Amino acid sequence: MSGTMSDDTKAALPMAVLNAIQNPVVLVNERGLVTFANWEAEAFFGASASHLARHDISTFIPFGSPLLTLIEQVRERRAAVNEYRVDLSSPRLGADKLVDLYVAPVLSEPGSVVIVFQERSMADKIDRQLTHRAAARSVTGLASMLAHEIKNPLSGIRGAAQLLESSVNDEDRALTRLICDETDRIVSLVDRMEVFSDERPVDRHPVNIHSILDHVKAVARAGFARRIRITENYDPSLPPVYANRDQLVQVFLNLVKNAAEAIGDKPDGEIVLTTAYRPGIRLSVAGTQEKISLPLEFCVHDNGPGVPADLVPHLFDPFITTKTNGSGLGLALVAKIIGGHGGIVECDSQTSRTIFRVLMPASKGPTAEDPDPIAVKGKTR
């Protein structure tokens, strides 16, 4: 049985198709004005299609961008051009805006070109995340070795120091006390690393991320972040995430505490917790043809000084830290927990703006009952 489409349906179909594409797409006319932008393009440029249409494309991209040259080449040659790894980073578009470009002429409209942007940053971040997971696995083996091969002799060293302490003078007793204190510190570090060697299956249930974030916020406000403003911008329509509640509380407590420590005594310090639905992000599963969708985005923003640029690619590696007395295991543990849940975690940082972004799969089941009395199911403030 065949059917026919009305003229209105035929006219609306191309726009619906373009809006379904998960990459920004814009149409630029012969004068350089943006005459069409799909929904992804509106999000990419942070402006509505009507606002884009009132300005030249050069208004929204960095000065001297190679994109302008590509547009002219396509107009002259009347042939499509691909350009890879073009940096469009700017205060308007944000940092780390690395894209692949496809620019093609529109033969029915001389001088007009269509531009497709494919963001490289997420692909690069996923590649880095796989490296982080490999690093976490190497720490797993190291933790097991340390637990068995180091803790036992450390106990002997501490016991010997305690025996010496009772038979030496006051000046030397300070040295034996130092031996005991440093031995205890090493044992504490090894105990923390043993968490990485725990490969038991995680008990997971569908949980509401907003109840977890509200619990973390309450703990932070009552303790380490009592002098810092904490706000939230939640998407209340998010589906539940299939996760272990306690482990996610541990993850976000770690991220919020890092943000609070980065802000320090800054008088206008602020931490913002956000949640959003980001369709189109998929992660391949090693050894299979399966791809996992990661549409749930949970972020911790802070306006601290930012992370040094040379440290960002290695931030989730073990023993990497910017803290004077830090062990460098907190973010490595965050990466391990989120990786164990099938998600990824990344950091975008520049001066006065740092974002830790967690991407996770959604649960298909109902939300578990949350025993936390301060939990709120989701809100926007």
Side-chain angles (χ1 to χ4, degrees):
M1 182 177 179
S2 61
T4 58
M5 291 187 292
S6 67
D7 291 341
D8 289 342
T9 302
K10 290 179 180 178
L13 186 58
M15 184 174 294
V17 171
L18 288 171
N19 282 327
I21 296 174
Q22 296 298 318
N23 290 316
V25 179
V26 298
L27 180 66
V28 178
N29 68 10
E30 71 280 1
R31 293 184 297 161
L33 298 177
V34 180
T35 56
F36 171 81
N38 69 349
W39 292 339
E40 288 292 324
E42 291 180 323
F44 182 82
F45 289 105
S48 66
S50 59
H51 178 73
L52 290 168
R54 295 195 297 268
H55 297 84
D56 191 282
I57 183 65
S58 61
T59 305
F60 301 97
I61 59 177
F63 177 77
S65 172
L67 176 56
L68 299 177
T69 304
L70 288 177
I71 293 174
E72 292 304 319
Q73 289 177 354
V74 169
R75 284 173 176 160
E76 292 175 5
R77 301 177 183 176
R78 297 185 180 180
V81 173
N82 285 290
E83 187 75 17
Y84 299 99
R85 301 184 69 84
V86 176
D87 189 359
L88 295 182
S89 302
S90 68
R92 173 185 286 273
L93 298 181
D96 201 19
K97 283 291 183 181
L98 200 63
V99 300
D100 294 341
L101 296 173
Y102 174 77
V103 186
V106 181
L107 299 180
S108 61
E109 299 184 24
S112 294
V113 298
V114 63
I115 308 169
V116 181
F117 303 80
Q118 183 175 6
E119 290 195 72
R120 291 290 308 166
S121 56
M122 185 52 65
D124 292 342
K125 289 173 184 176
I126 289 174
D127 288 342
R128 288 204 300 269
Q129 189 62 214
L130 297 178
T131 302
H132 297 154
R133 292 184 185 178
R137 284 194 294 270
S138 68
V139 174
T140 299
L142 179 60
S144 298
M145 182 274 292
L146 284 173
H148 292 89
E149 303 298 331
I150 293 183
K151 289 178 74 174
N152 287 339
L154 284 175
S155 297
I157 293 171
R158 195 183 193 286
Q162 287 178 316
L163 290 174
L164 285 173
E165 188 173 3
S166 61
S167 59
V168 297
N169 58 37
D170 291 342
E171 184 177 347
D172 291 336
R173 190 171 293 118
L175 295 177
T176 60
R177 175 47 45 193
L178 177 63
I179 293 173
C180 291
D181 291 344
E182 289 300 292
T183 302
D184 289 342
R185 188 175 65 84
I186 296 173
V187 170
S188 176
L189 178 61
V190 173
D191 286 340
R192 291 188 63 190
M193 291 186 63
E194 280 190 288
V195 177
F196 288 92
S197 63
D198 187 356
E199 296 297 333
R200 291 173 297 178
V202 178
D203 184 22
R204 292 190 280 176
H205 303 279
V207 295
N208 189 304
I209 189 62
H210 299 126
S211 68
I212 291 173
L213 293 178
D214 284 339
H215 174 81
V216 168
K217 183 177 67 176
V219 172
R221 281 178 169 170
F224 57 82
R226 65 172 61 91
R227 295 183 179 87
I228 297 175
R229 183 169 179 250
I230 302 178
T231 60
E232 65 275 347
N233 185 6
Y234 295 164
D235 179 350
S237 66
L238 283 188
V241 58
Y242 190 62
N244 180 281
R245 186 183 188 281
D246 290 341
Q247 288 194 353
L248 285 194
V249 168
Q250 183 180 7
V251 163
F252 287 102
L253 269 177
N254 191 305
L255 295 180
V256 171
K257 187 175 182 181
N258 280 355
E261 290 175 348
I263 291 172
D265 297 328
K266 186 177 179 180
D268 59 343
E270 182 180 23
I271 297 172
V272 182
L273 308 177
T274 66
T275 65
Y277 193 80
R278 306 292 188 199
I281 299 175
R282 298 170 68 85
L283 178 65
S284 297
V285 178
T288 71
Q289 297 296 318
E290 182 184 0
K291 288 191 175 182
I292 299 175
S293 179
L294 304 175
L296 303 184
E297 179 186 89
F298 317 131
C299 298
V300 177
H301 308 243
D302 72 72
N303 60 349
V307 180
D310 59 338
L311 195 61
V312 171
H314 310 288
L315 200 55
F316 297 94
D317 293 344
F319 308 114
I320 300 297
T321 181
T322 59
K323 303 174 187 176
T324 304
N325 298 315
S327 64
L329 293 178
L331 289 178
L333 181 59
V334 166
K336 179 182 185 296
I337 291 175
I338 297 301
H341 281 74
I344 62 174
V345 57
E346 255 300 337
C347 174
D348 290 328
S349 184
Q350 53 187 300
T351 303
S352 298
R353 188 189 70 88
T354 299
I355 304 173
F356 279 91
R357 181 178 292 106
V358 175
L359 299 170
M360 294 187 68
S363 171
K364 297 180 180 179
T367 305
E369 290 295 323
D370 193 326
D372 187 351
I374 66 171
V376 179
K377 286 295 182 182
K379 58 189 175 183
T380 303
R381 180 178 297 173

